[in-house]
Amino acid sequence: MVSAITQSDVISERQLEQFRRDGYMIIKAAFTKDTAKSCENLILEMLKSEYQVDPKVPYKARFVLNRRASVVFDKMITSKLTAGLNKLFGRDGWDSTHFRSHGDFFITFPGFVKSSQKPSPLVGRWHVDLGHRAAEAHDIHDRNCAFVPAFLVTDSRQDGACTLVAAGSHRVVARLLGSMDEPIRRQDMVAFCEGYISRKEGQDSVVQLTGEAGDVVVMHPLLMHAASANCRDTVRIMANTGVGGIGRRQLGANDSNRCVADEVIWQEIKSIRRKPSDERLLKAALSLNRYFWALRYRLYDRWKREAETRRDNREVSFDWRVLPYLLLKPVCTLTTSAIVRIVR
């Protein structure tokens, strides 16, 4: 019976170790395939009525629907899922009511990207979630983001708009946040994530999170992740719900009741050996990194816009005006590498 499910039935020690090491794990068959199919049908109906989108002939690749109350969607929240979450984050460490009041459905259609393009191109930028409440900075003690769940409403296949993660990056972010005496601005964190992935270490850590309809991917709140394009021939639907925590993270030396997620952060920050000058260097490096990345994307966006206008939206050949964009990449990578060296 579902009511008899315990935490140990849902998450094995091997999965726990993966969560600590890589920052994510998958709860298989967290809700039934019948529920997933019902959700898929309802989402496509909503898309048609609210956006006038024919799922067979969509006019763009990606749509986002705000989640709303529905007994159909409520069936994704099962005893098996909550038992697993309680084991990772503590029974009193996350607010289950946020499952009903926050989150979005992401629908990614095929046919807008060449199926031969590998790896699948990004949709958006690499980032760390801020959580269910609007915020402009990342505070290591704040449980505004308790964890990042991804409900797979349809199968999530390789190169089929899978969520991308940088395995192990949650530990790097923990050390970065733990090295600062103040929160890090959202823009600084995005720039750091982009720079981290541009390095070989970051590129080698990228994983596509595949799974079947009914699975739920659970990510550590500090894990870097990004969306990707759909290079397959079937629609991909995922629900991402912002879930906040209760209280503050247990990161003090005398805290003995830490959940698994907080323990990972604590293990990283307790080994930080800071020099008085480190925080000043970090602030300077973060600001430079943000400036270089912002400039790089501004240059690229302007070049792309001009090129598309000039060539009537066809694929463009190389243009010398993209050179500053290309030359800024190693500069951005160097500033990010400097940050990583400081926090390690």
Side-chain angles (χ1 to χ4, degrees), residues 50-95:
E50 296 179 21
Y51 288 89
Q52 290 72 55
V53 176
D54 182 352
K56 295 180 180 178
V57 193
Y59 57 82
K60 67 176 183 177
R62 198 165 187 252
F63 295 86
V64 180
L65 287 175
N66 294 328
R67 192 177 179 193
R68 65 290 311 272
S70 168
V71 292
V72 176
F73 300 147
D74 289 345
K75 290 180 181 178
M76 292 192 294
I77 313 303
T78 62
S79 298
K80 180 176 183 178
L81 176 61
T82 54
L85 296 175
N86 287 340
K87 185 166 185 176
L88 289 171
F89 310 104
R91 186 178 298 276
D92 299 320
W94 60 284
D95 193 337

Side-chain angles (χ1 to χ4, degrees), residues 115-153:
S115 60
S116 59
Q117 189 167 348
K118 302 293 185 295
S120 300
L122 284 177
V123 177
R125 297 181 183 177
W126 286 91
H127 63 282
V128 173
D129 277 10
L130 278 162
H132 77 282
R133 187 181 68 250
E136 288 301 318
H138 295 266
D139 183 346
I140 195 170
H141 297 285
D142 190 5
R143 272 206 182 123
N144 188 36
C145 182
F147 57 90
V148 182
F151 295 76
L152 303 188
V153 177

Side-chain angles (χ1 to χ4, degrees), residues 38-336:
S38 297
C39 290
E40 178 186 354
N41 292 337
L42 180 55
I43 290 165
L44 293 178
E45 286 176 13
M46 289 161 44
L47 196 63
K48 191 171 184 177
S49 62
E50 296 179 21
Y51 288 89
Q52 290 72 55
V53 176
D54 182 352
K56 295 180 180 178
V57 193
Y59 57 82
K60 67 176 183 177
R62 198 165 187 252
F63 295 86
V64 180
L65 287 175
N66 294 328
R67 192 177 179 193
R68 65 290 311 272
S70 168
V71 292
V72 176
F73 300 147
D74 289 345
K75 290 180 181 178
M76 292 192 294
I77 313 303
T78 62
S79 298
K80 180 176 183 178
L81 176 61
T82 54
L85 296 175
N86 287 340
K87 185 166 185 176
L88 289 171
F89 310 104
R91 186 178 298 276
D92 299 320
W94 60 284
D95 193 337
S96 61
T97 63
H98 293 161
F99 273 141
R100 297 191 296 272
S101 57
H102 296 84
D104 302 294
F105 291 107
F106 296 86
I107 305 101
T108 311
F109 287 101
F112 290 85
V113 179
K114 294 178 181 178
S115 60
S116 59
Q117 189 167 348
K118 302 293 185 295
S120 300
L122 284 177
V123 177
R125 297 181 183 177
W126 286 91
H127 63 282
V128 173
D129 277 10
L130 278 162
H132 77 282
R133 187 181 68 250
E136 288 301 318
H138 295 266
D139 183 346
I140 195 170
H141 297 285
D142 190 5
R143 272 206 182 123
N144 188 36
C145 182
F147 57 90
V148 182
F151 295 76
L152 303 188
V153 177
T154 61
D155 291 347
S156 189
R157 300 175 181 173
Q158 193 84 3
D159 301 316
C162 296
T163 300
L164 307 178
V165 300
S169 61
H170 61 307
R171 290 180 277 120
V172 179
V173 173
R175 295 184 72 86
L176 174 60
L177 291 170
S179 297
M180 301 286 286
D181 289 330
E182 60 186 46
I184 293 179
R185 292 191 298 176
R186 176 178 58 83
Q187 300 95 322
D188 288 347
M189 184 62 77
V190 170
F192 175 71
C193 293
E194 290 279 304
Y196 181 81
I197 298 300
S198 72
R199 303 165 70 244
K200 186 177 187 305
E201 175 186 2
Q203 293 170 2
D204 292 344
S205 71
V206 175
V207 177
Q208 295 191 42
L209 298 183
T210 60
E212 298 178 352
D215 295 347
V216 174
V217 179
V218 183
M219 290 174 268
H220 191 280
L222 303 185
L223 187 69
M224 298 180 194
H225 58 282
S228 66
N230 193 343
C231 296
R232 298 186 70 94
D233 55 2
T234 55
V235 65
R236 190 256 191 172
I237 302 176
M238 179 271 286
N240 175 239
T241 305
V243 180
I246 299 170
R248 292 174 70 78
R249 291 186 177 128
Q250 302 296 306
L251 302 178
N254 298 322
D255 290 328
S256 57
N257 199 27
R258 298 187 196 92
C259 66
V260 175
D262 287 355
E263 182 65 28
V264 172
I265 300 174
W266 166 246
Q267 290 298 328
E268 293 299 326
I269 64 175
K270 76 174 184 178
S271 62
I272 295 173
R273 299 289 183 265
R274 287 193 298 176
K275 300 175 184 176
S277 60
D278 281 354
E279 186 163 2
R280 292 194 298 272
L281 286 171
L282 273 176
K283 286 182 179 179
L286 285 167
S287 295
L288 278 173
N289 199 43
R290 180 185 73 250
Y291 172 77
F292 287 138
W293 276 104
L295 177 60
R296 188 169 185 256
Y297 278 109
R298 257 199 313 272
L299 287 169
Y300 176 72
D301 289 342
R302 187 174 66 181
W303 168 79
K304 185 179 180 183
R305 195 162 49 245
E306 292 175 353
E308 287 180 346
T309 301
R310 187 173 64 255
R311 313 254 174 128
D312 194 27
N313 291 320
R314 290 193 294 270
E315 187 174 343
V316 298
S317 59
F318 185 79
D319 190 315
W320 67 268
R321 279 175 289 189
V322 80
L323 274 176
Y325 165 79
L326 297 173
L327 293 174
L328 270 173
K329 182 173 182 178
V331 177
C332 297
T333 303
L334 283 173
T335 55
T336 304

